[in-house]
């Protein structure tokens, strides 16, 4: 089905930040982009928190509202740049007093409350490393990430502590300090966030920060093995800033709403850092998706730039365009989406509902910032992710039998050329927000590169106009409601249930969430498949994994295996979709060769 290109982005008023794609690409350099940052005074380096907070707090924007947080009841807390400088200064002093040093990891497990933002930026001020956890994770994924990330400090709230941390605390001897936000009492072994903050001074001079110092740790998933901790450095702020200007058309004075939770990379790069570096007001909503609330928020908060996700847009689409038309969305200037394939219908629906098309863009945890995007000034081809951001070189690499880029024994790759080229999407290293490693896993990091390219694990196509189109993931990871889920993590937990001998987990296509997690399980002798056990396994998964838990369970005493004994998820998926199973012997072979990248 053909979709007409959308040539008018519906923008009025001043021209977009990126007004002429080819001209900007031709003159762009990362060195120039870096010049938009102030750097720490006296040449003491580059620190994200200085660029996001302190430099504005010392200038004409000092009294501007930088953070406007809506709590679940709709009550508003506002912080100016000056106030945010003081609060983050206090938090940095708290860390100093606690003996938390440069490079030490400070985790958050919080709803979207002001203290989350203070924790993130205060941690960066202290040159410690901020690692946000998605609060909907269950205790298992939380423990795994705290352990892998060597958590020294955790900031959480009483409810999350009771439900998810208390039971795993003993297993985390390195976790020295737990600070509790809100509530009347602090559980034993924890400290009140408010009390310790009240005792700390607001003034804090950011110590010298090397742009290559580790700043952020985001966990992501691969096909096999544990979650991977992607390491990002302070230099990344250069990419956060410039990509927000180009791909999101963000400017000083905007009211910017990023619906992603900071537990995911989008919610940090664009849900904390980029709007602050730009002098925009960051709107934060603590509540979950709710159609009426979202339209009301867009209207009442006079949101100008909105960054959301395909699942959310598809949920809005189910209610038609009427609810949108019933609201005054005249402040809205730009709508963008990320995280999973955005169907062309949703792009076009945006035009009908908001009078603005949705601009899809593509990136991932490892890239730290938007890499491919549709821009305000450019024709949109509905269904396409757009074109590379200035300063980023993209290629499609020819693929081998395992679906990933074909790497010769000498480590070389070949670039697919010509109109409608297809291959593994690859990026030339060198942009500032590129991950600098997987924590404690140099081998996995090394495997992510070949022939001078970073291999993304996505398969894409490029049309004759230079637009990139998402084709598929080259591996078995699952994308559900925009969240990346590693099947191995889910299988491991299911196999801890006494009835389960083995599990294979896949993403089953879903019209709203993109994919949902489906598990196939083989039972141990003595257990009988049936509705009761199915329900028990679903509940078990939910207790341990929460948002990562399988939504569907099927019993299968004959799971297909590779010769080395691994469950063949690909074959399970082919069967689920009613696709040809292909040549099984080849599948077995290629699965045997598949290594976790
Ligand atoms: P994450 O690292 O959790 O941000 O997930 C990154 C992955 O999400 C990418 O490698 C893609 O598979 C998928 N993804 C992100 N943005 C898009 C998009 N615009 N279209 C299709 N897939 C996307």
């Amino acid at each position: 089905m053909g979709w007409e290109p959308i040539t008018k982005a519906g923008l009025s008023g001043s021209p977009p930040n990126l007004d002429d794609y080819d001209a900007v690409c031709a003159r762009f350099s990362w060195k120039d982009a870096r010049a938009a940052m102030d750097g720490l005074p006296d040449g003491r380096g580059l620190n994200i928190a200085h660029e996001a907070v302190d430099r504005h707090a010392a200038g004409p924007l000092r009294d501007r509202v930088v953070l406007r947080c809506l709590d679940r009841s709709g009550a508003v807390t506002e912080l100016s740049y000056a106030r945010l400088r003081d609060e983050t200064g206090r938090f940095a002093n708290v860390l100093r007093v606690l003996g938390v040093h440069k490079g030490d990891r400070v985790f958050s497990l919080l709803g979207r409350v002001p203290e989350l933002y203070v924790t993130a930026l205060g941690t960066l001020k202290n040159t410690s490393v901020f690692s946000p956890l998605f609060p909907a994770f269950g205790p298992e994924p939380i423990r795994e990430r705290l352990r892998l990330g060597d958590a020294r400090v955790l900031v959480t709230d009483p409810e999350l502590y009771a439900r998810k941390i208390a039971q795993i605390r003993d297993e985390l001897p390195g976790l020295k300090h737990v600070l509790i936000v809100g509530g009347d009492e602090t559980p034993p072994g924890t400290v009140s966030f408010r009390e310790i903050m009240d005792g700390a001074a607001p003034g804090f001079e950011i110590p010298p920060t090397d742009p290559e110092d580790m700043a952020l740790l985001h966990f992501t998933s691969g096909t096999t093995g544990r979650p991977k901790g992607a390491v990002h450095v302070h230099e990344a702020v250069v990419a956060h800033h410039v990509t927000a200007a180009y791909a999101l058309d963000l400017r000083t004075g905007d009211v910017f709403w990023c619906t992603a939770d900071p537990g995911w990379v989008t919610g940090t790069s664009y849900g904390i850092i980029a709007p602050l570096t730009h002098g925009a007001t960051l709107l934060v909503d603590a509540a979950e998706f709710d159609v009426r609330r979202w339209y009301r928020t867009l209207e009442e908060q006079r949101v100008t730039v909105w960054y959301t996700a395909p699942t959310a847009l598809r949920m809005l689409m189910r209610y038609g365009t009427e609810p949108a038309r019933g609201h005054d969305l005249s402040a809205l200037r730009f709508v963008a989406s990320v995280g999973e394939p955005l169907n062309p219908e949703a792009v076009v629906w945006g035009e009908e509902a908001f009078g603005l098309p949705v601009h899809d863009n593509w990136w991932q945890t490892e890239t730290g910032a938007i890499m491919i995007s549709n821009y305000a000034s450019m024709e949109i081809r509905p269904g396409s992710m757009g074109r590379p951001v200035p300063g980023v070189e993209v290629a499609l690499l020819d693929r081998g039998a395992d679906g990933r880029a074909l790497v010769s024994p000498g480590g070389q790759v070949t670039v697919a050329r010509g109109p409608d080229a297809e291959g593994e999407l690859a990026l030339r290293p060198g942009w500032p927000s590129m991950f600098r490693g997987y924590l404690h896993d140099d081998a996995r990091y090394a495997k992510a590169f070949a022939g001078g390219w970073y291999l993304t694990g996505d398969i894409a196509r490029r049309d004759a106009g230079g637009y990139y189109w998402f084709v598929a993931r080259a591996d078995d990871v699952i994308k559900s409601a925009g969240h990346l889920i590693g099947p191995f993590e889910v299988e491991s937990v299911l196999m801890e249930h006494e009835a389960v001998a083995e599990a294979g987990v896949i993403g089953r296509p879903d019209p709203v969430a993109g994919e949902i997690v489906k598990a196939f399980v083989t039972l141990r002798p003595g257990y009988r498949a049936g509705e009761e056990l199915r329900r028990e396994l679903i509940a078990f998964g939910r207790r341990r994994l929460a948002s990562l838990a399988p939504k569907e369970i099927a019993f299968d005493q004959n799971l297909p295996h590779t010769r080395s004994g691994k469950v063949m998820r690909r074959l399970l998926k082919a069967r689920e979709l009613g696709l040809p199973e292909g040549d099984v012997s080849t599948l077995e072979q290629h699965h045997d060769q598949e290594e976790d990248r």
Side-chain angles (χ1 to χ4, degrees), residues 339-341 360-365 458 470 473 479 484:
E340 37 169 334
D360 188 19
N361 55 57
W362 176 96
W363 57 295
Q364 48 180 207
T365 305
D458 281 359
F470 183 80
R473 287 285 310 188
K479 257 281 159 138
L484 202 65

Side-chain angles (χ1 to χ4, degrees), residues 343-365:
N343 33 322
E345 295 88 343
V347 177
V348 174
W349 179 83
E351 284 223 297
E352 289 165 19
F354 320 122
L356 299 167
V358 183
H359 296 78
D360 188 19
N361 55 57
W362 176 96
W363 57 295
Q364 48 180 207
T365 305

Side-chain angles (χ1 to χ4, degrees), residues 53-54 56-58 61-64 66 79-88 125 202:
V53 185
D54 286 13
H56 294 313
L61 299 181
R62 55 166 286 130
D63 296 321
R64 171 162 301 186
V66 56
L79 269 74
S80 65
Y81 274 104
R83 171 92 192 279
L84 188 60
R85 176 198 52 203
D86 291 352
E87 291 294 310
T88 53
K125 279 192 170 177

Side-chain angles (χ1 to χ4, degrees), residues 218-221 264-266 307 310 337-342 359-368 372 374 383-386 425 454 456-459 468-475 477-479 482-485:
H218 285 292
F219 286 90
T220 183
S221 301
W264 304 95
V265 72
T266 306
Y307 195 19
S337 159
V338 71
E340 37 169 334
L342 181 68
H359 296 78
D360 188 19
N361 55 57
W362 176 96
W363 57 295
Q364 48 180 207
T365 305
E366 286 86 344
T367 72
I372 295 176
N374 288 282
S384 159
M385 307 185 291
L425 191 64
Y454 161 63
T456 68
D458 281 359
I459 303 166
Y468 285 80
W469 301 71
F470 183 80
V471 175
R473 287 285 310 188
D475 56 19
V477 293
I478 299 161
K479 257 281 159 138
H483 300 155
L484 202 65
I485 299 176

